[in-house]
Amino acid sequence: MPVYPIISNPEAVSSPGLWLDRLALKRNIDQMVSDVGGPAHLKRLRPHVKTHKMREVVALQVSSGITKCKASTPSEAKMAAEGGATDILIAHQLVGPKIQQVRGLIDNFPEVHFSVITDNNEALSSLTSELASPGRPLTVWIDDDCGMHRSGIEFGPELDALRETIEGHKSLKFGGLHVYDGHLHAPSLEDRTAAAGQIISAIRDYHSSKGSTPVVGGGSPTFGIWATETDWECSPGTTLLWDCGYGDKFPDLRYEVAAGLITRVISKPGINRLCLDLGHKSVAAEMALPLRAIFPEIPNAVISSQSEEHLVIEVPDSSIYHIGDTFTAIPRHICPTVALHAYAAIVENGKPTGETWKVVARDRL
């Protein structure tokens, strides 16, 4: 069972509140570098910024030599550019006003290389007409559907034709293949390795028939596999902050929780019940109710209900707790939890420093 951090002296941290451990974050960055082969292989790292959405985290990556990243929104891409990233792949097919937002980024950050993904000619036509020009070609990656069936295009004639269109256009540059295996969550490293291996093998077959091309592949659960088995770019995200969902499920991944929540007791509605200020609006509610967070200081707590601003837990004896008692909560899924908070309180060695980092890219614009 993983050991999760507890924040001491949290009196100055408002609740429900997000905290981030600067030193643990730096250790996770160092571990990412090690997993990809060390400092000589930094160009293979393209971490996803959706997990944290903070300039300061990007700046820490840049200080470690990681200048590439992946983003989902124009706001995240802007934040990454402001944090010092110089090569940003927007890995979410752009439509509507987002295209012009990225046009503004290209104009305002001429020193940054922005690239995009596509999986069809209709989207590609809009991207080409609004973002590309012969004097400043737009780099476009093809989003390959490797089994998640969420977006992307499978290997075959349709993908081949899309690549030919990109390569044949004077205002476009073919970036390579974007291959996200977000459906691979087997706890067994052996099973994950076998499943990722099938995807990697399919890409190599494609290269054999169509010619080698750059690849951005994998996610956090398969990061170590892609890092070891290929020389392609890797794009982990959750590895930066980690959470109890990945920590419990993937013990083979050597990362530590670098972010969590502060919550307080606001009511005691029974002899075995506590109500905390940790509602839907402060911790991601996508998981089944009992799994949304764990409480290291209350290991026997069982979540029984949650609403917008309240979370009720069952405990053996509520009389040993007091109104205002403060606890650390570790969310099951950190990425959507971070987006619920305006800022993170920075801690070092479990103690708040008084510094805060704005979760600037939670804003869509």
Side-chain angles (χ1 to χ4, degrees):
M1 178 67 66
V3 176
Y4 292 110
I6 294 173
I7 303 304
S8 59
N9 302 322
E11 290 78 11
V13 180
S14 182
S15 62
L18 174 70
W19 56 263
L20 191 155
D21 187 318
R22 188 201 324 257
L23 301 181
L25 169 62
K26 184 60 170 65
R27 289 192 292 270
N28 284 343
I29 293 173
D30 291 343
Q31 185 64 56
M32 288 167 54
V33 173
S34 175
D35 284 352
V36 85
H41 301 276
L42 286 170
K43 289 186 177 180
R44 294 186 59 206
L45 275 174
R46 190 183 286 273
H48 206 314
V49 302
K50 71 177 179 66
T51 294
H52 56 82
K53 298 177 181 286
M54 299 179 222
R55 293 189 194 99
E56 291 86 351
V57 177
V58 175
L60 275 177
Q61 293 176 182
V62 171
S63 70
S64 295
I66 305 169
T67 58
K68 297 178 181 178
C69 67
K70 198 163 83 170
S72 292
T73 68
S75 179
E76 289 176 359
K78 179 175 183 286
M79 176 273 298
E82 292 172 342
T86 57
D87 187 333
I88 302 169
L89 169 58
I90 303 172
H92 191 278
Q93 189 153 258
L94 298 171
V95 295
K98 289 181 180 178
I99 298 177
Q100 282 306 309
Q101 292 173 28
V102 172
R103 170 82 270 166
L105 294 180
I106 293 172
D107 292 339
N108 292 329
F109 295 92
E111 73 284 1
V112 177
H113 180 250
F114 293 97
S115 57
V116 299
I117 65 166
T118 191
D119 63 8
N120 67 86
N121 275 305
E122 186 177 3
L124 178 63
S125 178
S126 297
L127 294 170
T128 303
S129 63
E130 299 191 49
L131 297 181
S133 66
R136 188 163 55 181
L138 176 69
T139 299
V140 180
W141 300 70
I142 292 180
D143 188 22
D144 172 59
D145 180 6
C146 65
M148 194 172 187
H149 307 318
R150 180 181 69 178
S151 65
I153 182 173
E154 295 181 5
F155 289 125
E158 194 176 351
L159 187 149
D160 296 342
L162 185 59
R163 178 175 175 176
E164 289 175 6
T165 299
I166 296 170
E167 292 182 324
H169 200 292
K170 63 182 180 181
S171 296
L172 300 176
K173 178 183 177 182
F174 179 54
L177 300 173
H178 173 259
V179 188
Y180 176 56
D181 58 3
H183 57 297
L184 302 186
H185 283 268
S188 163
L189 176 59
E190 182 179 0
D191 291 345
R192 258 179 294 137
T193 300
Q198 292 180 352
I199 296 169
I200 292 168
S201 179
I203 298 170
R204 287 178 173 148
D205 289 344
Y206 174 81
H207 284 174
S208 296
S209 62
K210 301 297 179 181
S212 184
T213 180
V215 176
V216 175
S220 295
T222 59
F223 168 45
I225 301 164
W226 287 76
T228 302
E229 300 298 326
T230 80
D231 59 0
W232 301 324
E233 288 187 13
C234 303
S235 57
T238 308
T239 50
L240 285 159
L241 301 184
W242 216 229
D243 54 33
C244 69
Y246 279 12
D248 289 349
K249 198 170 187 179
F250 308 122
D252 55 287
L253 296 172
R254 295 164 294 179
Y255 294 91
E256 60 184 290
V257 167
L261 301 167
I262 290 293
T263 185
R264 288 181 169 86
V265 177
I266 59 172
S267 182
K268 297 169 61 178
I271 60 172
N272 64 341
R273 189 173 295 128
L274 300 174
C275 182
L276 310 177
D277 57 353
L278 199 67
H280 299 145
K281 293 180 177 178
S282 53
V283 64
E286 66 184 299
M287 303 293 180
L289 183 63
L291 301 177
R292 289 178 189 169
I294 62 172
F295 306 90
E297 296 128 309
I298 323 174
N300 51 12
V302 177
I303 300 174
S304 59
S305 70
Q306 188 182 32
S307 50
E308 291 187 31
E309 303 292 352
H310 304 77
L311 183 141
V312 176
I313 59 174
E314 305 291 331
V315 296
D317 180 8
S318 64
S319 68
I320 65 175
Y321 302 103
H322 303 89
I323 301 299
D325 280 355
T326 306
F327 300 110
T328 304
I330 308 298
R332 181 71 49 177
H333 194 183
I334 191 63
C335 306
T337 296
V338 167
L340 298 172
H341 296 265
Y343 65 89
I346 303 306
V347 305
E348 291 188 1
N349 299 314
K351 296 183 179 180
T353 66
E355 183 182 1
T356 60
W357 291 356
K358 187 175 181 181
V359 187
V360 64
R362 71 194 292 260
D363 297 330
R364 289 285 181 174
L365 299 177

